Amino acid sequence: MSSSFVPLTAAPTNPPDPSKHVNYSVGMVLGVDDLTQEFTYLSSRDRWLARDLLGYGTVCGLKVSIEADAKGPRVMVTSGAALSPSGQLICVRPAQCAYLNDWLNANPAQLGAAIGSPPGTQIKLYLTLCYRDCLTDSVPIAGEPCRTEDELMAPSRVTDDFQLDLRITPPQQKQEEGLREFVEWLRLVEISDGSGPFLTLEQFEEMVRTGQEAHVLASPPVKGVFYKLQSPPQQGKIHTADAYEFLRAAFRIWVTEIRPLFHPTCEAKAGCCGSVVEAGPVPDEGLLLAELDVTVVSGVVAKPEDVIVDERRRPFLIHLGLLQEMLLCGPHSGGGSGTGVAGPQGPVGPAGPAGKDGKDGAPGKDGAPGPAGAPGANFVVAAGIVTAGTVAASTVTSLFGGLTATPLAGNAFVWTLKFTGYDPKAQYVVKGTPLINATAATLHTFEVLQGSTEIPAGTGVPVKVGAIDGKTPAIGFMVEISLYR
């Protein structure tokens, strides 16, 4: 069974306790209540795991579009699956539709005076999806005398079902909004190995907690309210070497202090020893699919172009297979036969080969780049761009690894390269490209010096960059350093 935008409600029941399951002993007689209790316990735990560990949102399909036929514009929802805010799996099949003019005519009380407003009035509708179940497959049951035939039948199955609705008020998705703002706030905190000022762990933890103050004033949180999004860049940044510890602290505070602000279990504000201080709000089971901006002329939607579908606030879930491929072969991994890119948590090994017709490490027409290798012994440790000048005037843009470059006093051709974790006993491969003016007529080279008497051993990697005539130093160079063991 299905519900194509039809408001149906199930008969109210007294639900069993989801925290209890049947403890059977030999000789115990089990009845309907026991079977219902056991099912409730197992089903509730499944929903609990899905809700708290995965989240909620569209999983697959459920594309929203606007079409029209002889009856006028209609909202179309394709087949698909979703996870509701309570953790219920919802399957929509087959595709569903609702004629907008029929809905407008059937719901004048919800719309109020908006429909009778001057031509061109815009109203906003919210397309939502909910889980519901239906009792089916009636079978005969034992009865008493004088009962009708209908009273001698009872449903033997409960079928998973769904309900699509058009609302004039948005569904409450406080956790979704809070999660997005939390991540947006974290992205504004700069992680760098350049110059300070750098935050201490205690300062950073206090900054993460300040968002709760705004949440008290606005429930549910709205964009720009739950977190003070402008504060992190003005108060300092995180050093690259400390990123792991700081991110762990941020996620710990999210789990223990921030997420409970809008978690249905924690919102009840249970007191000590099970006493309830304040009852929590009833969770909204409506899952937002789209916001519809509808232009109504004389109470009618004339054409599909009068409806704008906005899905930007729609919650959705990415399955683990896609995340796995993104981690292994995503945009941050090396392509072709080049060297893998080292991330902030550690290096990544060499990437796999390119496709059959790949050239110079690029993917071929009939083959994609191979996946990045597992962390190994050979990886990039530093990279950057250097512009020439004196010790005071030269600049280094470290792209990775905290690269520094110091020109040799009295010799504009020679530089000493160093980086985080430099080991004078290690074996490095240095790749560099001179930077020259477009008018330069002399060939320039990038050379690694061995046994230089001008630079003491163990102070860094000495390189020489300049014209082959020995008269003109380069205006700078780009360099990448790899470690081989």
Side-chain angles (χ1 to χ4, degrees):
M1 297 181 67
S2 61
S3 173
S4 300
F5 303 92
V6 179
L8 299 177
T9 58
T13 59
N14 294 321
D17 190 341
S19 65
K20 297 179 180 179
H21 63 91
V22 176
N23 181 30
Y24 178 75
S25 299
V26 177
M28 182 183 295
V29 178
L30 301 181
V32 174
D33 290 344
D34 301 297
L35 179 61
T36 303
Q37 176 63 67
E38 189 69 9
F39 171 81
T40 299
Y41 174 79
L42 296 174
S43 177
S44 298
R45 292 182 70 84
D46 289 342
R47 296 199 305 271
W48 181 13
L49 285 171
R51 179 186 67 236
D52 286 6
L53 295 183
L54 298 179
Y56 59 87
T58 300
V59 176
C60 180
L62 303 179
K63 179 183 177 182
V64 179
S65 60
I66 306 298
E67 299 180 358
D69 61 12
K71 292 184 61 177
R74 60 181 181 178
V75 182
M76 296 291 299
V77 180
T78 64
S79 300
L83 201 59
S84 76
S86 66
Q88 282 278 12
L89 282 169
I90 309 174
C91 178
V92 176
R93 187 175 55 191
Q96 305 293 313
C97 68
Y99 288 93
L100 285 171
N101 290 323
D102 289 350
W103 188 90
L104 294 175
N105 293 331
N107 295 272
Q110 294 190 55
L111 300 168
I115 294 301
S117 300
T121 298
Q122 276 202 337
I123 60 173
K124 185 180 287 291
L125 301 178
Y126 299 89
L127 175 57
T128 61
L129 173 67
C130 298
Y131 171 85
R132 72 182 184 97
D133 53 30
C134 296
L135 299 176
T136 63
D137 300 344
S138 295
V139 297
I141 59 173
E144 298 176 356
C146 301
R147 283 192 175 186
T148 65
E149 184 176 348
D150 291 339
E151 292 175 323
L152 296 177
M153 303 289 288
S156 63
R157 299 291 184 268
V158 180
T159 302
D160 289 333
D161 206 351
F162 63 89
Q163 180 171 325
L164 287 163
D165 286 312
L166 288 172
R167 302 184 184 181
I168 60 172
T169 56
Q172 300 293 321
Q173 47 184 36
K174 294 185 288 184
Q175 180 167 301
E176 177 75 10
E177 299 291 347
L179 175 63
R180 292 185 187 183
E181 286 203 20
F182 177 74
V183 173
E184 184 177 351
W185 185 89
L186 281 180
R187 290 185 60 192
L188 292 177
V189 183
E190 181 182 356
I191 300 177
S192 171
D193 51 11
S195 58
F198 292 107
L199 295 166
T200 65
L201 183 60
E202 291 74 18
Q203 290 173 328
F204 177 71
E205 289 180 345
E206 182 60 29
M207 288 169 56
V208 176
R209 291 187 172 101
T210 55
Q212 300 182 47
E213 301 172 3
H215 172 74
V216 174
L217 301 177
S219 183
V222 295
K223 186 174 178 60
V225 173
F226 187 79
Y227 268 94
K228 300 172 184 177
L229 299 176
Q230 292 74 30
S231 58
Q234 302 171 1
Q235 299 187 25
K237 51 190 175 182
I238 300 172
H239 194 278
T240 305
D242 299 326
Y244 174 76
E245 183 180 11
F246 278 59
L247 289 177
R248 275 190 59 87
F251 296 148
R252 170 175 47 81
I253 295 174
W254 163 264
V255 170
T256 59
E257 301 179 33
I258 301 176
R259 191 182 183 191
L261 292 174
F262 32 70
H263 190 281
T265 301
C266 303
E267 280 188 315
K269 297 181 174 59
C272 178
C273 301
S275 61
V276 177
V277 178
E278 179 182 340
V282 177
D284 189 339
E285 279 302 292
L287 180 64
L288 180 67
L289 298 186
E291 298 179 12
L292 306 179
D293 292 315
V294 183
T295 300
V296 180
V297 179
S298 300
V300 175
V301 183
K303 53 187 183 300
E305 290 75 20
D306 291 337
V307 183
I308 299 175
V309 179
D310 184 354
E311 299 180 274
R312 288 175 295 178
R313 295 182 61 242
R314 175 179 188 160
F316 59 89
L317 296 175
I318 300 174
H319 68 286
L320 293 179
L322 176 58
L323 294 177
Q324 171 184 296
E325 292 304 309
M326 284 293 296
L327 289 173
L328 295 177
C329 311
H332 295 292
S333 62
S337 57
T339 306
V341 179
Q345 299 302 325
V348 176
K356 295 179 181 178
D357 351 350
K359 296 180 179 180
D360 301 327
K365 297 178 182 178
D366 56 359
N378 310 324
F379 50 85
V380 176
V381 293
I385 302 173
V386 180
T387 57
T390 63
V391 174
S394 62
T395 62
V396 181
T397 301
S398 175
L399 302 177
F400 178 70
L403 178 72
T404 61
T406 305
L408 182 64
N411 190 335
F413 292 80
V414 180
W415 297 74
T416 303
L417 307 179
K418 207 166 183 181
F419 43 87
T420 304
Y422 169 74
D423 182 359
K425 297 180 181 180
Q427 180 68 47
Y428 297 103
V429 173
V430 183
K431 295 175 285 186
T433 301
L435 301 177
I436 60 174
N437 291 318
T439 57
T442 308
L443 180 66
H444 286 60
T445 62
F446 179 98
E447 302 167 276
V448 179
L449 303 180
Q450 294 286 339
S452 173
T453 57
E454 299 175 290
I455 301 176
T459 58
V461 179
V463 297
K464 183 178 181 181
V465 189
I468 59 175
D469 60 8
K471 299 178 181 179
T472 309
I475 63 173
F477 57 91
M478 296 183 292
V479 64
E480 182 181 273
I481 305 175
S482 302
L483 170 66
Y484 282 78
R485 291 174 179 164

